[in-house]
Amino acid sequence: REREREEEKGAREDMEVIEDIFEEEEEWESPVNHMIAGSVAGIAEHCAVYPLDTVKTHLQSSTTKYNASVVQTARAIVQKNGVGGLFRGIGAMAGGAGPSHAIHFAMYEFSKASLIGKKTGHYPFA
């Protein structure tokens, strides 16, 4: 019996955690909040991989006949333009990524709420 009580207590605590998560989610229902979160996430993601994208672009547009490695290409960019060469153009990319991801996140959340519904167990298209 005591074991059953402990299991029930654990199950109740788990349900309280889940309810807390849903309550926090309800606080984020504003489309503006989703847009801000999407914008920040998109800019952060693009800025994190921007140096790799710069190296990739240099490799793809290279006119040399030999195949340079990623490390060789990155080293050549840094030697020619400094570390800032890996980040050249990042402002324009961030300026486009912010609004793009803001709209994407907001539309995703809107579609999810419209198609799936907000009630637990209510899945009209599932």
Side-chain angles (χ1 to χ4, degrees), residues 19-30 118:
E19 288 172 2
D20 289 343
I21 291 171
F22 281 115
E23 286 175 11
E24 289 176 15
E25 187 176 306
E26 288 174 5
E27 294 174 9
W28 278 84
E29 288 301 315
S30 168
K118 296 182 182 186

Side-chain angles (χ1 to χ4, degrees), residues 84-125:
L86 294 171
F87 295 93
R88 180 172 284 158
I90 199 167
M93 178 278 309
S100 172
H101 284 271
I103 292 169
H104 181 92
F105 269 56
M107 289 306 299
Y108 169 79
E109 291 298 330
F110 172 77
S111 299
K112 184 174 76 170
S114 298
L115 296 174
I116 296 176
K118 296 182 182 186
K119 296 179 182 176
T120 305
H122 175 69
Y123 306 103
F125 292 100

Side-chain angles (χ1 to χ4, degrees), residues 1-18:
R1 283 197 158 228
E2 190 171 318
R3 186 175 182 181
E4 289 176 9
R5 286 183 197 146
E6 288 179 16
E7 288 177 4
E8 287 178 15
K9 181 180 177 185
R12 273 183 271 146
E13 289 174 356
D14 291 344
M15 286 303 294
E16 288 175 7
V17 170
I18 292 170

Side-chain angles (χ1 to χ4, degrees), residues 1-77:
R1 283 197 158 228
E2 190 171 318
R3 186 175 182 181
E4 289 176 9
R5 286 183 197 146
E6 288 179 16
E7 288 177 4
E8 287 178 15
K9 181 180 177 185
R12 273 183 271 146
E13 289 174 356
D14 291 344
M15 286 303 294
E16 288 175 7
V17 170
I18 292 170
E19 288 172 2
D20 289 343
I21 291 171
F22 281 115
E23 286 175 11
E24 289 176 15
E25 187 176 306
E26 288 174 5
E27 294 174 9
W28 278 84
E29 288 301 315
S30 168
V32 174
N33 289 340
H34 293 298
M35 293 178 84
I36 292 169
S39 180
V40 170
I43 291 171
E45 180 266 328
H46 282 286
C47 288
V49 298
Y50 195 80
L52 295 173
D53 195 42
T54 300
V55 172
K56 175 198 65 123
T57 301
H58 278 260
L59 283 168
Q60 289 175 334
S61 64
S62 176
T63 57
T64 60
K65 293 184 180 182
Y66 68 93
N67 293 328
S69 72
V70 172
V71 174
Q72 291 170 333
T73 304
R75 189 174 290 138
I77 293 169

